[in-house]
Amino acid sequence: MKFDKRKAPSARKTKTSALKRPARTPARVATPPKRRAASRRRPAAKGNMFDVLRPVEANYAPLTPISFLRRSAEIHPERTAAIHGSRRFSYRELYARARRLASVLAKRGVSRGDTVSAMLPNVPAMLEAHFGVPMLGAVLNTINTRLDADTVAYILAHGEAKVLITDREYAGVVGPALKQLGNRSLLVVDVDDPLYQGPGERVGSVEYEDFIAAGDPAFEWRLPASESQPIALNYTSGTTGRPKGVVYHHRGTFLEAIGNIMAWPLPPAPVYLWTLPMFHCNGWCFPWSVTAMGGTQICLRRVDPAQIFTMIVEHGVTHMCGAPTVLSLLINAPEDQKRKFPRVVDIQTGGSPPPAKVIKAMEELGFRVTHIYGMTELQGPSTLAEPQEAWKSLPLEQRAIEMARQGVRYPVVEEHIVGDSKTCTPVPKDGTTIGEILIKGNTVMLGYLKDRKATAEAFAGGWMHTGDLAVCHPNDYVEIKDRAKDIIISGGENISSVEVEIALYKHPATLFAAVVARPDDKWGETPCAFVQLKPGVNATEEEFIAFCRDKLARYKVPRKVVLGPIPTTATGKIQKYVLRERAKSL
């Protein structure tokens, strides 16, 4: 399979698309899509002095995030680009290693539109793949490291991977997945990380360091033929059947990376600690963002509070990202693992809104929390709870309410509304009328691989339909109330599972909480809560129900509270589909 205009399920195939493949001018330079559309609508200029001007080689180049590495290597060749254990990689070395990877992949027959998969933890090889693979015009497919062998085999087959780069730690899953693929031609490259001392045999034919040693550090790569060309393939969680393949493009990832820099903001030479998996939406595009700012990226194989606190102090970490579970792990780490650090560390978190007690606890540890919202189809964060000056004087509880909202659109997101799912018209900005979050712009995916029907449905009416139900406040800040599939309808009343979860998080014994619908003969369905207690803390089901009665309308109070571990994904998201099945049997 090649990712080209005939096979890629891009929005170009649908009536609602705003993404078009640029045309070629006589100077063989791609014309930006808007200019091309304008020229179709209006023939040659008649009296307009500006119409004679056209993009040419001197003033137009396709946007791509891989150019960031070349610039940083030119300007800061000796600056540390990546740290992994005792190893240090300068920007000169990182650029050379990425070019070696591109070179040797080309020697092995990888070319434009081919898929190169990577099943890796946050190690330097994963960072290098974010540049080396797209240097060829190939497409990087980062695979969730928590998936089972059957799903991994499906992804490799569906994405038609030509190469798989994998860590020895995942041999127990990758080995059986490869057997399922049978005789399908696939080059497997092993990463034998010296920091990993656990079980697992090599499953490939060559080790990564030996593999790239055969590449040319001066390999001459080229810009993509079109900025709409695919750069990455990410698969959704697949909670309702097989996962969908979400296709990113060079233009979108370039702008998303820039959006991260503008929205946070990310200063020059940041020190970024990898607690977010790089396989998740390409690390929210931060491999490219941090590189653009000449920053240092600290690799971390797994989230370990003791290591995180140590690295923050040792390396002067300034920024990190993580799911709400990461915040909880840091807050509840043993006191002897916690460390004081001299400067505030910025941390972005997505998923469930951080309760006031979490924000307070993180601030006391020395972190500044920013709440963001995004999804795989949006290439990472799309909105953020951008702080307002007036918030500083608010009491913590009120400030937490403002900070926990999904907020306003990223600077690079063209349009973002809470609207009617069918008509795509905005709902009133009154903080109470519920609609669906609808988004359009360059940071929206190209589409779902080999699934034109799902792509057309996602882009119905000219908007990306997120499936998230929200309200819009008078100040334009968006607040998610629930996923469309997570709304609980009890006796004809809509109950937001998020609202019930917020109440549960206010209980001092709660570590994690999730609420799903439980079938009920009388009411149709009622809220069922799952609560994971903090270590060493005791509480009962009756206590939680009584607690919720003081916080919620009676019909919103859970009829059942199950205490015990809550299943999460590799990115820290609670697996509600698992809990829904459990609730059915209670």
Side-chain angles (χ1 to χ4, degrees), residues 340-401:
K340 295 290 185 181
F341 29 93
R343 56 150 291 150
V344 173
V345 176
D346 280 291
I347 183 167
Q348 277 193 11
T349 187
S352 302
K357 65 178 183 180
V358 169
I359 293 173
K360 181 176 184 293
M362 288 296 288
E363 289 181 351
E364 290 173 348
L365 287 174
F367 295 91
R368 179 167 46 227
V369 179
T370 298
H371 187 216
I372 59 91
Y373 161 79
M375 57 192 301
T376 304
E377 289 85 343
L378 299 174
Q379 308 191 60
S382 187
T383 74
L384 80 158
E386 186 165 322
Q388 298 287 340
E389 287 297 321
W391 295 0
K392 294 179 181 179
S393 59
L394 294 175
L396 175 63
E397 287 290 337
Q398 184 60 40
R399 183 159 56 90
I401 290 173

Side-chain angles (χ1 to χ4, degrees), residues 29-69:
V29 176
T31 303
K34 288 184 178 179
R35 188 67 183 177
R36 181 186 180 200
S39 65
R40 284 180 174 176
R41 291 193 303 269
R42 193 169 56 243
K46 292 183 179 180
N48 190 324
M49 61 184 174
F50 295 105
D51 284 343
V52 297
L53 300 174
R54 295 285 188 274
V56 294
E57 187 175 1
N59 62 21
Y60 177 76
L63 300 179
T64 175
I66 55 178
S67 295
F68 297 147
L69 179 55

Side-chain angles (χ1 to χ4, degrees), residues 21-34:
R21 184 180 295 277
R24 292 286 189 177
T25 67
R28 299 184 62 80
V29 176
T31 303
K34 288 184 178 179

Side-chain angles (χ1 to χ4, degrees), residues 524-580:
E525 53 189 27
T526 56
C528 178
F530 292 83
V531 178
Q532 182 172 330
L533 301 177
K534 292 179 179 177
V537 178
N538 294 316
T540 65
E541 177 183 16
E542 293 74 19
E543 181 181 340
F544 275 104
I545 292 175
F547 182 81
C548 287
R549 285 198 184 110
D550 293 334
K551 306 289 183 184
L552 300 166
R554 194 168 188 83
Y555 72 93
K556 298 179 181 179
V557 175
R559 301 294 181 91
K560 182 72 177 173
V561 177
V562 181
L563 304 178
I566 292 180
T568 60
T569 67
T571 58
K573 292 182 180 178
I574 292 173
Q575 295 176 311
K576 281 198 170 183
Y577 68 98
V578 175
L579 299 181
R580 289 190 197 97

